Amino acid sequence: MQSYGDVPGADESEPDPEVTVPTEPRSSRGFFRPAPAEHAVLITEAAPSLDDQHRARVRRYTFIMAFRIPCLILAAIAYSAFESPLLSILIIAASVPLPWIAVLIANDRPPRTKDEPSRWDGRTNQIALESRQHKTLE
């Protein structure tokens, strides 16, 4: 049954059109290979983010502090193997400044680059106070 505005033959089912799903592009074998999507390319001269800097500092601190426990274990093994308290004390003494060194290195800023401007402008050549005589009230 056809009503006003209907297209003749609209009730008949038409076959679905063929749909092609695009596949991922194949990697080129040429000189410029596309980078994997999970590794973005750095195209700015911006400094690493503060989160990245913090993560690197925590990694350095953990790496340095990881040497402390093996030093104590090595001191115990040296004492039991060689029966020398002097060797054990030297190993323990070497592990004592490790926390201090770890904190200093972990709190250090990233190294300066050559492109970073120097803020020193040579103001030491200027005299801070005038050298002439001033009138004083007595």
Side-chain angles (χ1 to χ4, degrees), residues 12-104:
E12 299 173 7
S13 64
E14 294 180 14
D16 291 332
E18 290 186 30
V19 178
T20 58
V21 178
T23 60
E24 291 187 25
R26 294 185 307 162
S27 63
S28 170
R29 293 186 182 189
F31 186 74
F32 296 107
R33 293 190 177 124
E38 67 265 4
H39 299 294
V41 178
L42 181 64
I43 59 171
T44 67
E45 293 181 7
S49 70
L50 293 177
D51 288 337
D52 291 341
Q53 290 179 14
H54 182 261
R55 223 174 290 118
R57 290 196 318 260
V58 167
R59 210 174 304 123
R60 270 184 275 167
Y61 177 82
T62 306
F63 181 74
I64 294 171
M65 287 302 290
F67 283 109
R68 191 149 192 225
I69 293 174
C71 282
L72 296 176
I73 294 171
L74 185 64
I77 292 171
Y79 183 72
S80 65
F82 301 114
E83 297 180 4
S84 172
L86 180 62
L87 183 61
S88 297
I89 290 173
L90 288 174
I91 294 171
I92 291 173
S95 73
V96 167
L98 281 179
W100 177 72
I101 292 169
V103 168
L104 284 180

Side-chain angles (χ1 to χ4, degrees), residues 76-131:
I77 292 171
Y79 183 72
S80 65
F82 301 114
E83 297 180 4
S84 172
L86 180 62
L87 183 61
S88 297
I89 290 173
L90 288 174
I91 294 171
I92 291 173
S95 73
V96 167
L98 281 179
W100 177 72
I101 292 169
V103 168
L104 284 180
I105 291 174
N107 287 337
D108 193 17
R109 69 180 292 279
R112 291 184 184 269
T113 61
K114 291 182 178 181
D115 299 336
E116 199 171 337
S118 175
R119 301 288 184 222
W120 185 74
D121 58 358
R123 291 187 187 183
T124 57
N125 300 338
Q126 298 175 354
I127 298 173
L129 298 174
E130 297 176 3
S131 61

